[in-house]
Amino acid sequence: MVLIYPVYAVMMTENVSEFAFATLLAFWSASVLFAEIPSGTLADRVSRVRLIGLSGVIKGLGFLTWFLLPSYGGYLLGFVLWGVGSTLRSGTEEALLHDTLHKLGVPERFEQIHGRGAAAGSLGTIVAFLGGGYLAEHSGFELPLVLSALGPWIAAAVAWLGLNDVPRTGPPPQEHEAYFDTLRAGVREAVGRPLVFRVVLMTASIACIWGLMDEFMPVFLTEKGGVTLFDIGIVYAASSGANVVAVALAHRIPARTPRRVAAVFGVAAVFLALSVPTSGYVAAAILVISFGINGAASVLLTGQLQRAIKGHARATVTSVAGTGAELTGISLALAGGGAAELADWHTTTTFFAALALLLAAVFVMRGIGATPDDERAPG
């Protein structure tokens, strides 16, 4: 329920250049990068429920900053707050869900329940996209910005009042284990175990492309002409609707190895490429399909990672994957913004689609995403 989501790219590019907007996204990724692993390790040591609630409070402050300081500096501060708030949730929610299901004796239902949670989140964003686009079209950006701060704050209250911490799975940490001991344990598993490293590598490369394309989509569609702010809200809502269906049904897709998940990402990349030469509304429909398929692939990839982790530093391992994604995201944001500055947003989208197709092909054809016999995933 963050109403500024569908239009903040348009709002910012009215005040800053295309490349300056890309640098804001790069700084956003940098803030996540520096906080990702420390926050993940923190989630392996303190209350995960408290961290999830705190993330909502900080994220809401970020949107309020955009309202109070509508300038490059204000946008930068808001993105930093958003990034830090996001890192407190990143890996924390998945670890809490995994351990809760383990306590209940149904760990195999992770993809199903995680997909339902993602679908519920998408239903909220559908309302936000429609409402935000409409309000921005008829009353400007100020009201959506103020209302955007409320959504994360409400989520924080729900987390603190409605969730419970559960015991961690895996071998327990040594008594009085230091913070950096937990950090080392997580990093060692992320890069030292082949199956975990393969999934981390996929997360750090192909999986993050759609996250950036999600930020660039409004200006990409506006460049095609004839697309209003309300139209952009509708497109985002439709994309979230497709995502609801895709993530809720992701557990039914027979893709329980990294190689098969890479193939699903490849299908999403094909649709992303098809959006470039088509007209505005046709391109929007194709993008909706691409984002839906990507949502399903992301749920499957998350399940791969959670099943592969065996140690107690679960959130730390997830944060290592997130850190890799942010490193890639910074590079791609600057490259995409530079391409748009020199040419246009169609060039940026073409670049992203080609890169996604290439990575998917490498993971599938060269076997980088294959699972060795001694660590083969079910299915």
PDB file of all heavy atoms in Angstrom, residues 347-365:
ATOM      1  N   THR A 347      16.638   1.572 -25.609  1.00  0.00           N
ATOM      2  CA  THR A 347      17.974   0.985 -25.653  1.00  0.00           C
ATOM      3  C   THR A 347      18.300   0.291 -24.336  1.00  0.00           C
ATOM      4  O   THR A 347      18.872  -0.806 -24.310  1.00  0.00           O
ATOM      5  CB  THR A 347      19.018   2.072 -25.947  1.00  0.00           C
ATOM      6  OG1 THR A 347      18.700   2.720 -27.187  1.00  0.00           O
ATOM      7  CG2 THR A 347      20.421   1.473 -26.034  1.00  0.00           C
ATOM      8  N   THR A 348      17.930   0.925 -23.231  1.00  0.00           N
ATOM      9  CA  THR A 348      18.156   0.336 -21.913  1.00  0.00           C
ATOM     10  C   THR A 348      17.422  -0.989 -21.772  1.00  0.00           C
ATOM     11  O   THR A 348      17.977  -1.987 -21.296  1.00  0.00           O
ATOM     12  CB  THR A 348      17.703   1.308 -20.814  1.00  0.00           C
ATOM     13  OG1 THR A 348      18.485   2.504 -20.895  1.00  0.00           O
ATOM     14  CG2 THR A 348      17.857   0.691 -19.433  1.00  0.00           C
ATOM     15  N   THR A 349      16.148  -1.014 -22.177  1.00  0.00           N
ATOM     16  CA  THR A 349      15.358  -2.238 -22.062  1.00  0.00           C
ATOM     17  C   THR A 349      15.914  -3.338 -22.950  1.00  0.00           C
ATOM     18  O   THR A 349      15.950  -4.516 -22.564  1.00  0.00           O
ATOM     19  CB  THR A 349      13.890  -1.950 -22.423  1.00  0.00           C
ATOM     20  OG1 THR A 349      13.399  -0.871 -21.615  1.00  0.00           O
ATOM     21  CG2 THR A 349      13.019  -3.181 -22.187  1.00  0.00           C
ATOM     22  N   THR A 350      16.354  -2.965 -24.146  1.00  0.00           N
ATOM     23  CA  THR A 350      16.967  -3.945 -25.039  1.00  0.00           C
ATOM     24  C   THR A 350      18.207  -4.564 -24.402  1.00  0.00           C
ATOM     25  O   THR A 350      18.431  -5.785 -24.460  1.00  0.00           O
ATOM     26  CB  THR A 350      17.356  -3.286 -26.375  1.00  0.00           C
ATOM     27  OG1 THR A 350      16.189  -2.728 -26.990  1.00  0.00           O
ATOM     28  CG2 THR A 350      17.992  -4.302 -27.322  1.00  0.00           C
ATOM     29  N   PHE A 351      19.009  -3.720 -23.769  1.00  0.00           N
ATOM     30  CA  PHE A 351      20.224  -4.195 -23.092  1.00  0.00           C
ATOM     31  C   PHE A 351      19.877  -5.166 -21.970  1.00  0.00           C
ATOM     32  O   PHE A 351      20.491  -6.238 -21.843  1.00  0.00           O
ATOM     33  CB  PHE A 351      20.997  -2.994 -22.554  1.00  0.00           C
ATOM     34  CG  PHE A 351      22.077  -3.345 -21.566  1.00  0.00           C
ATOM     35  CD1 PHE A 351      23.177  -4.096 -21.954  1.00  0.00           C
ATOM     36  CD2 PHE A 351      21.989  -2.924 -20.249  1.00  0.00           C
ATOM     37  CE1 PHE A 351      24.176  -4.423 -21.047  1.00  0.00           C
ATOM     38  CE2 PHE A 351      22.981  -3.244 -19.334  1.00  0.00           C
ATOM     39  CZ  PHE A 351      24.075  -3.992 -19.744  1.00  0.00           C
ATOM     40  N   PHE A 352      18.891  -4.833 -21.146  1.00  0.00           N
ATOM     41  CA  PHE A 352      18.496  -5.707 -20.042  1.00  0.00           C
ATOM     42  C   PHE A 352      17.980  -7.050 -20.550  1.00  0.00           C
ATOM     43  O   PHE A 352      18.307  -8.108 -20.010  1.00  0.00           O
ATOM     44  CB  PHE A 352      17.422  -5.029 -19.190  1.00  0.00           C
ATOM     45  CG  PHE A 352      17.953  -3.954 -18.274  1.00  0.00           C
ATOM     46  CD1 PHE A 352      17.087  -3.077 -17.650  1.00  0.00           C
ATOM     47  CD2 PHE A 352      19.304  -3.822 -18.038  1.00  0.00           C
ATOM     48  CE1 PHE A 352      17.562  -2.083 -16.803  1.00  0.00           C
ATOM     49  CE2 PHE A 352      19.800  -2.838 -17.198  1.00  0.00           C
ATOM     50  CZ  PHE A 352      18.920  -1.964 -16.572  1.00  0.00           C
ATOM     51  N   ALA A 353      17.146  -6.996 -21.599  1.00  0.00           N
ATOM     52  CA  ALA A 353      16.581  -8.232 -22.139  1.00  0.00           C
ATOM     53  C   ALA A 353      17.670  -9.133 -22.713  1.00  0.00           C
ATOM     54  O   ALA A 353      17.680 -10.347 -22.493  1.00  0.00           O
ATOM     55  CB  ALA A 353      15.539  -7.901 -23.208  1.00  0.00           C
ATOM     56  N   ALA A 354      18.601  -8.536 -23.462  1.00  0.00           N
ATOM     57  CA  ALA A 354      19.685  -9.323 -24.048  1.00  0.00           C
ATOM     58  C   ALA A 354      20.557  -9.945 -22.970  1.00  0.00           C
ATOM     59  O   ALA A 354      20.962 -11.119 -23.069  1.00  0.00           O
ATOM     60  CB  ALA A 354      20.531  -8.431 -24.972  1.00  0.00           C
ATOM     61  N   LEU A 355      20.844  -9.186 -21.921  1.00  0.00           N
ATOM     62  CA  LEU A 355      21.662  -9.710 -20.828  1.00  0.00           C
ATOM     63  C   LEU A 355      20.958 -10.853 -20.110  1.00  0.00           C
ATOM     64  O   LEU A 355      21.575 -11.882 -19.780  1.00  0.00           O
ATOM     65  CB  LEU A 355      21.991  -8.589 -19.839  1.00  0.00           C
ATOM     66  CG  LEU A 355      22.842  -8.973 -18.632  1.00  0.00           C
ATOM     67  CD1 LEU A 355      24.203  -9.499 -19.072  1.00  0.00           C
ATOM     68  CD2 LEU A 355      23.003  -7.779 -17.689  1.00  0.00           C
ATOM     69  N   ALA A 356      19.646 -10.691 -19.860  1.00  0.00           N
ATOM     70  CA  ALA A 356      18.884 -11.745 -19.185  1.00  0.00           C
ATOM     71  C   ALA A 356      18.855 -13.015 -20.022  1.00  0.00           C
ATOM     72  O   ALA A 356      19.001 -14.129 -19.491  1.00  0.00           O
ATOM     73  CB  ALA A 356      17.465 -11.255 -18.902  1.00  0.00           C
ATOM     74  N   LEU A 357      18.657 -12.870 -21.327  1.00  0.00           N
ATOM     75  CA  LEU A 357      18.653 -14.041 -22.208  1.00  0.00           C
ATOM     76  C   LEU A 357      20.012 -14.730 -22.214  1.00  0.00           C
ATOM     77  O   LEU A 357      20.098 -15.968 -22.173  1.00  0.00           O
ATOM     78  CB  LEU A 357      18.276 -13.615 -23.628  1.00  0.00           C
ATOM     79  CG  LEU A 357      16.787 -13.399 -23.901  1.00  0.00           C
ATOM     80  CD1 LEU A 357      16.588 -12.719 -25.245  1.00  0.00           C
ATOM     81  CD2 LEU A 357      16.039 -14.730 -23.857  1.00  0.00           C
ATOM     82  N   LEU A 358      21.079 -13.937 -22.253  1.00  0.00           N
ATOM     83  CA  LEU A 358      22.416 -14.512 -22.270  1.00  0.00           C
ATOM     84  C   LEU A 358      22.701 -15.281 -20.981  1.00  0.00           C
ATOM     85  O   LEU A 358      23.215 -16.418 -21.020  1.00  0.00           O
ATOM     86  CB  LEU A 358      23.449 -13.399 -22.458  1.00  0.00           C
ATOM     87  CG  LEU A 358      24.924 -13.827 -22.398  1.00  0.00           C
ATOM     88  CD1 LEU A 358      25.244 -14.813 -23.514  1.00  0.00           C
ATOM     89  CD2 LEU A 358      25.838 -12.604 -22.474  1.00  0.00           C
ATOM     90  N   LEU A 359      22.373 -14.688 -19.850  1.00  0.00           N
ATOM     91  CA  LEU A 359      22.624 -15.351 -18.574  1.00  0.00           C
ATOM     92  C   LEU A 359      21.801 -16.629 -18.442  1.00  0.00           C
ATOM     93  O   LEU A 359      22.307 -17.662 -17.978  1.00  0.00           O
ATOM     94  CB  LEU A 359      22.301 -14.399 -17.420  1.00  0.00           C
ATOM     95  CG  LEU A 359      23.282 -13.238 -17.212  1.00  0.00           C
ATOM     96  CD1 LEU A 359      22.720 -12.249 -16.207  1.00  0.00           C
ATOM     97  CD2 LEU A 359      24.637 -13.764 -16.758  1.00  0.00           C
ATOM     98  N   ALA A 360      20.533 -16.566 -18.839  1.00  0.00           N
ATOM     99  CA  ALA A 360      19.696 -17.764 -18.764  1.00  0.00           C
ATOM    100  C   ALA A 360      20.272 -18.873 -19.628  1.00  0.00           C
ATOM    101  O   ALA A 360      20.312 -20.041 -19.227  1.00  0.00           O
ATOM    102  CB  ALA A 360      18.274 -17.426 -19.203  1.00  0.00           C
ATOM    103  N   ALA A 361      20.728 -18.507 -20.827  1.00  0.00           N
ATOM    104  CA  ALA A 361      21.310 -19.508 -21.722  1.00  0.00           C
ATOM    105  C   ALA A 361      22.568 -20.117 -21.119  1.00  0.00           C
ATOM    106  O   ALA A 361      22.798 -21.328 -21.205  1.00  0.00           O
ATOM    107  CB  ALA A 361      21.620 -18.863 -23.073  1.00  0.00           C
ATOM    108  N   VAL A 362      23.387 -19.288 -20.491  1.00  0.00           N
ATOM    109  CA  VAL A 362      24.621 -19.802 -19.876  1.00  0.00           C
ATOM    110  C   VAL A 362      24.293 -20.767 -18.749  1.00  0.00           C
ATOM    111  O   VAL A 362      24.872 -21.862 -18.654  1.00  0.00           O
ATOM    112  CB  VAL A 362      25.477 -18.627 -19.356  1.00  0.00           C
ATOM    113  CG1 VAL A 362      26.604 -19.139 -18.477  1.00  0.00           C
ATOM    114  CG2 VAL A 362      26.040 -17.829 -20.522  1.00  0.00           C
ATOM    115  N   PHE A 363      23.357 -20.389 -17.878  1.00  0.00           N
ATOM    116  CA  PHE A 363      23.003 -21.252 -16.756  1.00  0.00           C
ATOM    117  C   PHE A 363      22.419 -22.588 -17.224  1.00  0.00           C
ATOM    118  O   PHE A 363      22.656 -23.625 -16.614  1.00  0.00           O
ATOM    119  CB  PHE A 363      21.999 -20.555 -15.843  1.00  0.00           C
ATOM    120  CG  PHE A 363      22.618 -19.552 -14.908  1.00  0.00           C
ATOM    121  CD1 PHE A 363      22.208 -18.232 -14.926  1.00  0.00           C
ATOM    122  CD2 PHE A 363      23.592 -19.927 -14.005  1.00  0.00           C
ATOM    123  CE1 PHE A 363      22.769 -17.303 -14.074  1.00  0.00           C
ATOM    124  CE2 PHE A 363      24.164 -19.010 -13.152  1.00  0.00           C
ATOM    125  CZ  PHE A 363      23.755 -17.688 -13.181  1.00  0.00           C
ATOM    126  N   VAL A 364      21.652 -22.553 -18.309  1.00  0.00           N
ATOM    127  CA  VAL A 364      21.007 -23.781 -18.784  1.00  0.00           C
ATOM    128  C   VAL A 364      21.950 -24.607 -19.661  1.00  0.00           C
ATOM    129  O   VAL A 364      22.162 -25.796 -19.418  1.00  0.00           O
ATOM    130  CB  VAL A 364      19.717 -23.450 -19.569  1.00  0.00           C
ATOM    131  CG1 VAL A 364      19.139 -24.716 -20.201  1.00  0.00           C
ATOM    132  CG2 VAL A 364      18.685 -22.806 -18.653  1.00  0.00           C
ATOM    133  N   MET A 365      22.532 -23.984 -20.676  1.00  0.00           N
ATOM    134  CA  MET A 365      23.312 -24.728 -21.665  1.00  0.00           C
ATOM    135  C   MET A 365      24.670 -25.177 -21.140  1.00  0.00           C
ATOM    136  O   MET A 365      25.122 -26.289 -21.441  1.00  0.00           O
ATOM    137  CB  MET A 365      23.514 -23.865 -22.920  1.00  0.00           C
ATOM    138  CG  MET A 365      22.209 -23.437 -23.577  1.00  0.00           C
ATOM    139  SD  MET A 365      21.217 -24.855 -24.135  1.00  0.00           S
ATOM    140  CE  MET A 365      22.262 -25.494 -25.424  1.00  0.00           C
TER     141      MET A 365
END
